[in-house]
Amino acid sequence: MNILRKKSEANLPFSETVIETFIRLCGISSIIFVFGIFFFVFREGAGFLFNGLDLKEFLTSVEWQPTSLNNKRYGAFALIVGTFSVTVLAMCIAVPFGLGAAIFVSEFCSPKLRETFKIVIELLAAIPSVVWGFIGLTLMNQLIIVVFNAPIGLTMLNGGIMLALMSVPIIVSIAEDALKAVPDSYREAAEALGATRWQVVYRVLLPAAKNGLLAAVLLGAARSIGETMAVLMATGHSVNIPSGPLSWIRTLTATIAAELGEVARGDEHYQVLFIIGILLFTITFVVNLIADLVIKGIRQE
Amino acid sequence: MAINCNMDSQTTPLNYSIETENLNLWYGDFQALIDVNVKIPDGQITSLIGPSGCGKSTLLRCFNRVNERYGNVTTEGKIEVLGKNIYDSDVSLPELRKTVGMVFQRPNPLPISVYENILFGLRIHSPVGHLTRAESDQIVEEALTSVFLWDDLKDRLKVRATSLQLEQQQKLCIARLLPLKPRVILMDEPCSALDAKGTLAVEELMEVLAGKYTFLIVTHNMAQARRVSKECIFMFLGELIEHRETQALFQTPQHPKTADYVQMRYG
């Protein structure tokens, strides 16, 4: 018997080899899929992107007239502003609530309550976005009309609230992990010096977990930017530079979802929608990358 | 039965910083302290020894009520710190912990600068903007000077405290108690994470500071108890077995369990 036999000499059973190969393929496939999607989206849009599209007009003009017969315009500025404004509004609502909930769940509530909260928060994350859109279209629409005496409730505010509700679970779970990762010895040290629980939170935990909390916010924002169905249904879907929360807007994602079904494959409009896809891909990629780097920052400390 | 004969030889009556009466403590169903009656004298070093799991740390952690962090703790009996029962309803936990400082087994400076670590206690106990820059500077210098760290760290006040050497971290943990002007300092095996040189440095520091503060130190290291403490308490399975002057406890232990322990037959 030779325990020290080299791995290559060992005769692994056939099933081991199969399983190992299968798992390896699973791992590699995620990389292939991401690059595959990027390649496909890029290929569909690339022709017009490099040949024909006025990039300056695309990024700065508010005229989005892709279906006009004699005056086609592909100005996506209003859509970009729409996406960013609704995301910023959503984050203004979601960040205080999300971080507050994370602090409560991680530091203040009893273990029993914590389990309940986590389940409820996971349920919140599991609600399909079309259901959120449905709530926005009916309930929130009426609510905004009544509360703000607005002519119509399908507005940036409506979409922002829906996106906030969708981002909160992500922010809560990642922020809670970040707070849980702060060594208990810090809490103990601060409490033994006489700090109250709230002082422990804002003088010790928030500074110590700030990278993780920032990552939570960024991933929540990435979720908001990429969300489609809820904003399509709740924001009014009208090309417009918003003047306030009660203006209607249209987002990049909703534009793709609403128009892609109606264009001829391969024509300019079709390709522009894919260019919007590239733009969205780039934005969320950058946000996720920043979040990743921020999280790595924590680990190295 | 506990043997308390440390006071017999004293001619002048001592003042006590901490007194307990029939102190019992349970973690859930497990009784960790059984009828502990103890008097810790003012302004000197008292050590707590005994085998692992005998309740030394638990007893120590009663005196600033840091035990309560763990939820399922039940405490019965009386604990007086500076003449005040700390379980009275009018006791303010932050004030108690300001008066009774604690140093932990592993140095636990906060992940902020050396400077801010020293001021942390004052900042949480006083209103915002209470300290001027000059006052803060002076407090930091005084605190670091008393633990012999000023010369080493005066040019590195802005570095993160968690990046210091362990010995410096532990001294810093002592230094950050001082601006709060505590009366009692509890130490839970403060040297177990340090090397011999660090241990010696912390022991010397305790000897210098004793007199100004009452020290109660839990230690696994019997040699350390002999070196630093004036009185020594031996605990076994949650009970206080013997409390006498350190030299007497080691040389002529009265209780057979103490004798077995100090002569290293177990533990």
Side-chain angles (χ1 to χ4, degrees), chain B residues 82-110:
Chain B
L82 307 171
K84 173 82 187 152
N85 186 355
I86 60 172
Y87 283 96
D88 280 354
S89 55
D90 63 339
V91 166
S92 139
L93 215 48
E95 284 303 314
L96 170 68
R97 289 172 179 170
K98 194 174 153 184
T99 315
V100 184
M102 185 155 194
V103 178
F104 293 82
Q105 190 165 0
R106 279 208 70 82
N108 57 358
L110 295 167

Coordinates of all heavy atoms in Angstrom, one line a residue, chain B residues 82-110:
Chain B
L82 N -17.8 50.3 44.8 CA -17.6 51.6 45.4 C -18.9 51.9 46.3 O -19.4 53.0 46.3 CB -17.4 52.7 44.4 CG -16.2 52.5 43.5 CD1 -16.2 53.6 42.4 CD2 -14.9 52.5 44.2
G83 N -19.4 50.9 47.0 CA -20.5 51.1 47.9 C -21.8 51.1 47.3 O -22.8 51.3 48.0
K84 N -21.9 50.9 45.9 CA -23.2 51.1 45.3 C -23.6 49.7 44.6 O -22.8 49.2 43.9 CB -23.1 52.2 44.2 CG -24.3 52.3 43.3 CD -25.4 53.2 44.0 CE -26.6 53.2 43.2 NZ -27.8 53.4 44.0
N85 N -24.8 49.2 44.9 CA -25.2 48.0 44.3 C -25.4 48.2 42.8 O -26.3 49.0 42.4 CB -26.5 47.5 44.9 CG -26.9 46.1 44.4 OD1 -26.2 45.6 43.5 ND2 -27.9 45.6 44.9
I86 N -24.6 47.6 42.0 CA -24.7 47.9 40.5 C -25.9 47.3 39.8 O -26.1 47.5 38.7 CB -23.4 47.4 39.8 CG1 -23.2 45.9 39.9 CG2 -22.2 48.2 40.3 CD1 -22.1 45.4 39.1
Y87 N -26.7 46.5 40.6 CA -27.9 46.0 39.9 C -29.1 46.8 40.4 O -30.3 46.5 40.0 CB -28.1 44.5 40.3 CG -27.2 43.7 39.4 CD1 -26.0 43.2 39.9 CD2 -27.6 43.3 38.1 CE1 -25.2 42.5 39.1 CE2 -26.7 42.6 37.3 CZ -25.5 42.1 37.8 OH -24.7 41.4 37.0
D88 N -28.9 47.9 41.1 CA -30.0 48.8 41.4 C -30.5 49.4 40.1 O -29.8 49.6 39.2 CB -29.5 50.0 42.3 CG -29.4 49.5 43.8 OD1 -29.9 48.4 44.1 OD2 -28.9 50.3 44.6
S89 N -31.8 49.8 40.2 CA -32.4 50.3 38.9 C -31.9 51.6 38.5 O -32.0 52.0 37.4 CB -33.9 50.3 39.0 OG -34.3 51.1 40.2
D90 N -31.4 52.4 39.5 CA -30.9 53.8 39.1 C -29.5 53.8 38.7 O -28.9 54.9 38.5 CB -31.1 54.7 40.3 CG -30.3 54.3 41.5 OD1 -29.9 53.1 41.6 OD2 -30.1 55.2 42.4
V91 N -28.9 52.6 38.5 CA -27.5 52.6 38.0 C -27.4 52.8 36.5 O -28.2 52.1 35.8 CB -26.8 51.3 38.4 CG1 -25.5 51.1 37.7 CG2 -26.6 51.2 39.9
S92 N -26.6 53.7 36.1 CA -26.5 53.9 34.6 C -25.3 53.0 34.1 O -24.2 53.1 34.6 CB -26.2 55.4 34.4 OG -25.2 55.5 33.4
L93 N -25.6 52.2 33.2 CA -24.6 51.3 32.7 C -23.4 52.0 32.1 O -22.3 51.6 32.4 CB -25.3 50.4 31.6 CG -24.8 48.9 31.5 CD1 -24.7 48.3 32.9 CD2 -25.7 48.1 30.6
P94 N -23.6 53.0 31.3 CA -22.4 53.8 30.8 C -21.6 54.3 31.9 O -20.3 54.3 31.9 CB -23.0 54.9 29.9 CG -24.3 54.3 29.5 CD -24.8 53.5 30.6
E95 N -22.2 54.8 33.0 CA -21.4 55.4 34.1 C -20.7 54.3 34.8 O -19.5 54.5 35.2 CB -22.4 56.1 35.1 CG -22.8 57.5 34.6 CD -21.7 58.4 34.3 OE1 -20.7 58.5 35.1 OE2 -21.7 59.0 33.2
L96 N -21.3 53.1 35.0 CA -20.7 52.0 35.7 C -19.4 51.6 34.9 O -18.3 51.4 35.4 CB -21.6 50.8 35.8 CG -21.0 49.5 36.2 CD1 -20.5 49.6 37.7 CD2 -21.9 48.3 36.1
R97 N -19.6 51.5 33.6 CA -18.5 51.1 32.7 C -17.4 52.1 32.6 O -16.2 51.8 32.3 CB -19.0 50.6 31.4 CG -19.8 49.3 31.6 CD -20.5 48.9 30.3 NE -21.2 47.6 30.6 CZ -22.0 47.1 29.7 NH1 -22.3 47.7 28.6 NH2 -22.6 45.9 30.0
K98 N -17.8 53.4 32.8 CA -16.8 54.4 32.9 C -15.9 54.3 34.1 O -14.7 54.4 34.1 CB -17.5 55.8 32.9 CG -16.7 57.0 32.6 CD -17.7 58.2 32.5 CE -16.9 59.4 32.9 NZ -17.8 60.6 32.9
T99 N -16.6 53.9 35.2 CA -15.8 53.7 36.5 C -15.1 52.4 36.6 O -14.0 52.4 37.2 CB -16.9 53.8 37.7 OG1 -17.8 54.8 37.4 CG2 -16.2 53.9 39.0
V100 N -15.6 51.4 35.9 CA -15.0 50.1 36.0 C -14.5 49.8 34.5 O -15.3 49.3 33.7 CB -15.9 49.0 36.5 CG1 -15.3 47.7 36.6 CG2 -16.5 49.4 37.8
G101 N -13.2 50.0 34.3 CA -12.7 49.7 32.9 C -12.3 48.3 32.8 O -12.2 47.5 33.8
M102 N -12.2 47.9 31.5 CA -11.9 46.4 31.3 C -10.8 46.3 30.2 O -10.9 46.9 29.2 CB -13.1 45.7 31.0 CG -12.9 44.2 30.9 SD -14.4 43.3 31.2 CE -13.8 41.6 31.4
V103 N -9.9 45.3 30.5 CA -8.9 45.0 29.5 C -9.1 43.5 29.1 O -9.3 42.7 30.0 CB -7.5 45.2 30.0 CG1 -6.4 44.8 29.0 CG2 -7.3 46.7 30.4
F104 N -9.2 43.2 27.8 CA -9.6 41.9 27.4 C -8.4 41.0 27.1 O -7.2 41.4 27.0 CB -10.5 41.9 26.2 CG -11.8 42.6 26.5 CD1 -11.9 44.0 26.6 CD2 -12.9 41.8 26.8 CE1 -13.2 44.5 26.9 CE2 -14.1 42.4 27.1 CZ -14.3 43.7 27.1
Q105 N -8.7 39.7 26.9 CA -7.7 38.7 26.7 C -6.9 39.0 25.4 O -5.7 39.0 25.4 CB -8.4 37.3 26.5 CG -7.4 36.2 26.5 CD -8.2 34.9 26.8 OE1 -9.4 34.9 26.9 NE2 -7.5 33.8 26.8
R106 N -7.6 39.2 24.3 CA -7.0 39.6 23.1 C -7.1 41.1 23.0 O -8.1 41.7 23.2 CB -7.6 39.0 21.9 CG -7.2 37.6 21.6 CD -7.3 37.3 20.1 NE -6.3 38.0 19.3 CZ -5.0 37.6 19.2 NH1 -4.6 36.5 19.8 NH2 -4.2 38.3 18.4
P107 N -5.9 41.8 22.7 CA -6.0 43.3 22.6 C -7.1 43.6 21.6 O -7.1 43.0 20.5 CB -4.6 43.6 22.1 CG -3.7 42.5 22.4 CD -4.6 41.3 22.4
N108 N -8.0 44.5 22.0 CA -9.1 44.9 21.1 C -9.2 46.4 20.8 O -10.2 46.9 21.0 CB -10.4 44.3 21.6 CG -10.7 44.7 23.0 OD1 -10.0 45.5 23.6 ND2 -11.9 44.4 23.5
P109 N -8.1 47.0 20.3 CA -8.3 48.4 20.0 C -9.3 48.5 18.8 O -9.5 47.6 18.1 CB -6.9 48.8 19.5 CG -6.2 47.5 19.1 CD -6.8 46.5 20.0
L110 N -10.0 49.6 18.8 CA -11.0 49.8 17.7 C -10.3 50.1 16.4 O -9.1 50.7 16.4 CB -11.9 50.9 18.1 CG -12.8 50.6 19.3 CD1 -13.5 51.8 19.9 CD2 -13.8 49.5 19.0

